Amino acid sequence: WSRFWSQLRYEMATCLVNAKALSLCVDGKFQMLGQYWSPTAHEDSILGVPGARLSESPVVYLDNYYTRVLVNRTDVDGPPLTWEDLDLAKALLTERFSAVVIAEDFAHSSLQLACSLGLDLEKAKPLLHTRIRPYSENEALMSGVPVDESELGEADVQGLRTKFVRNNKFDYTLYAHVRMLAQRRLALCTQRRKDVSELRRDLPRQMVLQTTSTTSSIELTIDDLFGCNGGTLGLDDKGNFMLYCPRTALQHSTSWWAGKSEDVTPKRKMGQPIPGKECWRSGFSWAVCCGSSHGPKGNADCWDGEFTHQRCCVY
């Protein structure tokens, strides 16, 4: 969202005239604004020159932009992205990219380059705190363009931001993967390079990354994105990404994603039906309601006068 907001401010400022204009842009209705690009920009500088454009519509920037670019699916009018596309994007980053640098954690994550490209740390030290802003010379021309979301009405923007996050679930999932990938590669680099390990632990004060975000809003958390209660993302012993997402049965039934559990179903004999098969609809499942992690009476959020632990979980 911060990237999109910054892009709107510098390249498509018409979208920030008021909350209604922003709503049109978040919905992908840029053409309803007429000239949607900023006075300091041009349609060709946003999409590319005709015949060699990234996409024919700026909608690409609000529909899982990073995933689409990685899998060469910038055709927003084509079939929608799938989880298979996300898996391909993650595989490309993991297998084809020597380093993954996180702009928000530039000083640390760029240390990967010492191992992947032989970066000279002594020469790089003075630059580790620097992030170049390509729009800095346009600042004088941007007077009147909102800097903070509150200038358009915080409540209105919050709803649009939530919609944007939900529409970009592939990119947010990809971003979580990228952060973990960068951490893993940096950890491997520190094992090979003692100087990287020392610098990583003790970056001098003058190297601390200075924030340059144009919005003070906090990005949505794991809980906001996946509908968890205290959710976290980490690695298991085999290096696989694991999402720990405690949630109620109601949250599970209305979620946009399906979780997996070690308690998928109880052990059964061949041909024996799953216990309480008539209970498992509307998003409820045996794992969510009867799994061993919920204790001897199951998940209390699953039960009412009609559906009980005895009926749904016990053979």
Side-chain angles (χ1 to χ4, degrees):
W1 172 258
S2 291
R3 178 205 60 78
F4 183 58
W5 177 272
S6 181
Q7 183 179 26
L8 291 180
R9 185 166 185 265
Y10 290 101
E11 295 186 339
M12 296 180 275
T14 308
C15 294
L16 301 182
V17 170
N18 51 45
K20 176 62 176 179
L22 178 59
S23 176
L24 289 174
C25 292
V26 171
D27 287 338
K29 301 175 181 178
F30 291 90
Q31 302 304 328
M32 293 185 66
L33 298 176
Q35 182 176 316
Y36 61 83
W37 53 90
S38 303
T40 58
H42 186 273
E43 186 177 25
D44 292 351
S45 66
I46 298 171
L47 300 175
V49 296
R53 286 184 166 175
L54 172 68
S55 178
E56 292 302 317
S57 168
V59 173
V60 69
Y61 294 114
L62 53 89
D63 184 359
N64 299 284
Y65 167 72
Y66 293 104
T67 303
R68 286 186 175 278
V69 169
L70 282 168
V71 300
N72 195 25
R73 284 287 314 280
T74 56
D75 52 329
V76 291
D77 292 329
L81 292 178
T82 65
W83 290 104
E84 286 72 22
D85 291 317
L86 175 63
D87 289 340
L88 175 58
K90 290 162 65 175
L92 288 170
L93 282 171
T94 303
E95 300 169 10
R96 301 291 183 88
F97 284 69
S98 300
V100 181
V101 178
I102 309 297
E104 294 80 10
D105 189 25
F106 179 80
H108 282 93
S109 63
S110 61
L111 294 177
Q112 300 169 69
L113 301 176
C115 290
S116 60
L117 299 179
L119 177 69
D120 187 328
L121 290 183
E122 290 302 317
K123 292 182 179 179
K125 278 183 180 180
L127 303 174
L128 289 179
H129 71 288
T130 302
R131 190 195 312 176
I132 302 298
R133 292 197 63 123
Y135 308 109
S136 57
E137 295 184 359
N138 293 342
E139 288 287 352
L141 302 175
M142 302 304 295
S143 60
V145 179
V147 174
D148 192 87
E149 297 172 13
S150 61
E151 297 178 52
L152 295 182
E154 192 167 344
D156 291 331
V157 175
Q158 182 177 359
L160 295 174
R161 184 173 65 243
T162 300
K163 183 176 183 178
F164 176 89
V165 171
R166 289 175 176 170
N167 290 342
N168 286 269
K169 59 180 179 289
F170 294 123
D171 267 6
Y172 274 85
T173 305
L174 183 68
Y175 181 68
H177 170 79
V178 166
R179 291 195 70 93
M180 296 300 296
L181 181 60
Q183 293 175 14
R184 180 191 296 176
R185 290 191 171 166
L186 180 55
L188 292 173
C189 185
T190 59
Q191 295 176 12
R192 295 168 51 190
R193 294 275 300 266
K194 183 179 179 181
D195 54 346
V196 173
S197 178
E198 293 175 349
L199 187 56
R200 180 192 186 191
R201 293 195 304 267
D202 189 28
L203 281 174
R205 181 178 296 275
Q206 66 267 25
M207 292 186 188
V208 175
L209 177 63
Q210 301 298 318
T211 180
T212 57
S213 174
T214 59
T215 171
S216 60
S217 298
I218 300 175
E219 288 289 344
L220 297 190
T221 64
I222 292 291
D223 287 357
D224 294 320
L225 181 58
F226 293 101
C228 312
N229 299 310
T232 58
L233 186 69
L235 294 172
D236 63 14
D237 295 338
K238 298 180 180 179
N240 298 315
F241 294 101
M242 297 293 293
L243 172 66
Y244 174 70
C245 184
R247 53 183 178 167
T248 66
L250 178 60
Q251 287 174 315
H252 177 83
S253 66
T254 58
S255 175
W256 57 266
W257 66 283
K260 293 184 178 181
S261 170
E262 294 180 358
D263 296 319
V264 177
T265 58
K267 293 182 178 180
R268 295 171 287 156
K269 296 179 180 179
M270 184 176 296
Q272 186 177 14
I274 185 173
K277 62 179 182 178
E278 71 279 4
C279 303
W280 314 131
R281 58 179 184 266
S282 301
F284 292 92
S285 68
W286 193 94
V288 169
C289 296
C290 306
S292 59
S293 61
H294 301 298
K297 296 297 182 180
N299 187 344
D301 290 320
C302 293
W303 316 131
D304 56 21
E306 180 181 0
F307 298 101
T308 65
H309 179 268
Q310 180 67 30
R311 174 185 177 183
C312 299
C313 302
V314 180
Y315 279 110

